[in-house]
Structures are given as C-alpha cells and as structure tokens.
Amino acid sequence: MEVVTSIEFILPLLFFIVAFVYSSVGMGGGPSYTAIMVIAGISTLTIPMISLSLNLFVTTIGSYNYLRNNHGKVRIILPFLISAIPFAYVGGALNLPRKVFLWVLLISLILVAARIYLWKDTGFRLQLNHRQKIIISLVAGSVLGLLAGIVGIGGRCVFSAINYHA
C-alpha cells in the first residue's frame, strides 16, 4: 500500500480553499495556486500548466455568470480572448529555467501590485477607429496572455494592470 505524503493531501485542500475564496470575489486564484506550488517545491516546469488549468476552471464558471447577468460585452472582450488564450498556452508550455520563471513571476506581481496600490488613475482615452481598437486589443491580449501563461497566474491579475477603455 502506498503512503500518501502530507503535501499530496494538503495541496488539493489548499487549492479548494483558494478557489472558494477567490471565486467569491470574481477571481480565479492563479497567483495563489502558483505561490502555493512554489512554496511546496513543485517543479517550475509544471506550475504554469497546473495553475492555468485550475484558474481556467474557476474563472470559466465566474465568467459565465458574469456574462449571463449582462455585466460585460462580448464584442469588447472577444479580441482579447482570441489572442490571449493561445498565447497563454504558449507561455505555459515554455520550459523556462527555475530562476527565470521566479524572476518573471516576481516582476509581474510587483508591477500588478504597484498598478493597484500606487497608480490610482491610469485611465486614458484614444480616438481610434474600430480596426485600430481591434488591433490594440489583439496585441495587448497576446502580450498579456503570454505573460500570464509563463507565470501561470491567468489573465485576471495581468489584465488588471491595464485600464482599457473601448
């Protein structure tokens, strides 16, 4: 009979708690899954895919309810998703060295925290035609999706770093 180590028992419980807490405020919990796995010593080659998968599961349910209650416009969100989803997959599939992964994670979380706590009014308006808005949305989705995939935090934290006005 195989002995289950404490980490194999505790990780699913911690993931459930994170999913429950984050989903109650409309988020997926990607940064917490990533942090828990880094602390637990999980291989940095597997962290992004596991974290993204957990985040995707939780945020899909939240996104469905969000759109079902008419809190978002699919026509604005769709260009971001079209480019962010495949680039998040590419970022999650990259085999970065542990040190590079941890630096990218640290820098991205610091930038997001700085955006949230230090830069209160980052909104701006650009006079763009429909085509230009689509191009900017596709490029931003690609860059942010790649970064989110690399560190396994999903898009919510990274996208919160931008105050996009369509």
Side-chain angles (χ1 to χ4, degrees), residues 59-137:
T59 55
T60 297
I61 295 168
S63 297
Y64 170 76
N65 287 324
Y66 185 80
L67 292 172
R68 183 178 60 130
N69 291 312
N70 297 320
H71 295 299
K73 296 178 182 175
V74 175
R75 66 178 174 79
I76 294 174
I77 298 169
L78 198 57
F80 283 101
L81 293 178
I82 288 171
S83 59
I85 291 172
F87 275 90
Y89 176 79
V90 169
L94 292 176
N95 292 325
L96 296 177
R98 181 175 177 82
K99 196 171 210 170
V100 173
F101 168 79
L102 292 174
W103 274 107
V104 172
L105 176 63
L106 176 67
I107 291 167
S108 64
L109 292 176
I110 287 172
L111 289 174
V112 169
R115 159 53 184 102
I116 291 170
Y117 294 110
L118 301 177
W119 300 314
K120 296 295 182 195
D121 185 21
T122 59
F124 59 92
R125 296 251 181 217
L126 298 174
Q127 297 300 323
L128 304 172
N129 63 36
H130 181 69
R131 184 171 186 241
Q132 292 170 324
K133 288 179 184 180
I134 298 283
I135 291 170
I136 288 174
S137 297

Side-chain angles (χ1 to χ4, degrees), residues 22-45:
Y22 273 78
S23 67
S24 70
V25 293
M27 297 178 77
S32 294
Y33 304 131
T34 301
I36 289 168
M37 287 186 279
V38 168
I39 292 168
I42 305 295
S43 168
T44 56
L45 298 177

